[in-house]
Amino acid sequence: EASLRRFFETLGYRAVAINEGLAVIFSELEDQNFTGIGISCGGGMCNATLAYLSIPSIMFSITKGGDSIDRSAAAVVDEHQTRVRVIKEETLDLARAPKDKLEKALHIYYEDLVETLVDTLRRTIAGAEKLPRTERALPIVLAGGTAKPKGFRELFERTLRGRSFPIEVAEVRMATDPLTATARGAHIAA
């Protein structure tokens, strides 16, 4: 971030960093007055933000993402990480039973990522000292390449609904285009 900031400043721009979760909110929650929870599940990390009227109240990241899923599943089944990534991105369906040991490993690591993400979200919101007051349930929008496999949204929602949650959730939905949501949101913020 610091390197990119310096580079853009040498070109005459004033660089301002934006959390990927907030970028998802800007991209996908205009109809909700930029109020809700945006989660960007990327290759290296998952970044989440709860914002009210575009003002972030809570932001956090977990250091699990698509790359760690690829690496872990590849090691378990003794397969090349690139092949695992291709299978994950092109054919993985988390809504159906795994058909082989690679898919089983991918399911296990995806479940671990989602459980960590949901538990961290729950604990972070429950531990927040000041949350904005709102009478309405908040939407959650998922984005990023790691969220693209079929069944990811359903896995996330099932995990979320299986735990007590400190706020009411209106819906869990995917970004219109999960791969470009953070870029579109950063553009809107700019």
Side-chain angles (χ1 to χ4, degrees):
E1 182 180 321
S3 296
L4 287 174
R5 176 177 282 123
R6 279 193 289 278
F7 172 74
F8 286 122
E9 287 172 352
T10 64
L11 298 175
Y13 295 99
R14 184 176 69 87
V16 177
I18 183 170
N19 175 278
E20 288 184 25
L22 184 57
V24 171
I25 290 169
F26 282 135
S27 172
E28 302 295 320
L29 292 176
E30 180 180 8
D31 62 335
Q32 300 289 319
N33 294 319
F34 305 108
T35 298
I37 299 170
I39 301 174
S40 173
C41 300
M45 299 171 70
C46 293
N47 300 284
T49 299
L50 183 152
Y52 180 72
L53 300 175
S54 79
I55 307 299
S57 296
I58 293 173
M59 292 191 283
F60 72 87
S61 299
I62 63 168
T63 57
K64 290 183 181 183
D67 294 344
S68 64
I69 291 172
D70 298 347
R71 191 172 38 257
S72 299
V76 167
V77 298
D78 195 30
E79 185 59 72
H80 291 281
Q81 192 172 329
T82 303
R83 182 171 181 273
V84 170
R85 181 188 52 79
V86 169
I87 289 169
K88 179 187 79 177
E89 292 177 356
E90 294 181 5
T91 64
L92 181 63
D93 185 347
L94 296 167
R96 65 173 169 74
K99 63 183 178 200
D100 57 30
K101 66 181 182 175
L102 174 56
E103 282 193 8
K104 185 173 184 176
L106 287 168
H107 277 247
I108 289 168
Y109 287 109
Y110 258 101
E111 288 166 7
D112 178 60
L113 178 138
V114 169
E115 286 180 20
T116 302
L117 184 57
V118 168
D119 284 341
T120 304
L121 181 61
R122 183 185 57 75
R123 279 187 281 110
T124 303
I125 292 172
E129 292 184 20
K130 292 184 180 181
L131 279 177
R133 293 186 188 264
T134 180
E135 299 299 318
R136 63 183 173 165
L138 296 179
I140 296 177
V141 180
L142 303 168
T146 300
K148 278 195 70 173
K150 291 177 185 172
F152 182 86
R153 185 199 64 77
E154 294 82 357
L155 173 62
F156 183 92
E157 187 167 18
R158 188 172 54 250
T159 305
L160 179 77
R161 305 278 185 211
R163 290 165 171 72
S164 63
F165 207 67
I167 60 172
E168 188 178 349
V169 174
E171 67 173 333
V172 176
R173 65 180 164 97
M174 292 298 294
T176 307
D177 182 353
L179 290 179
T180 63
T182 55
R184 281 194 328 273
H187 182 254
I188 291 167

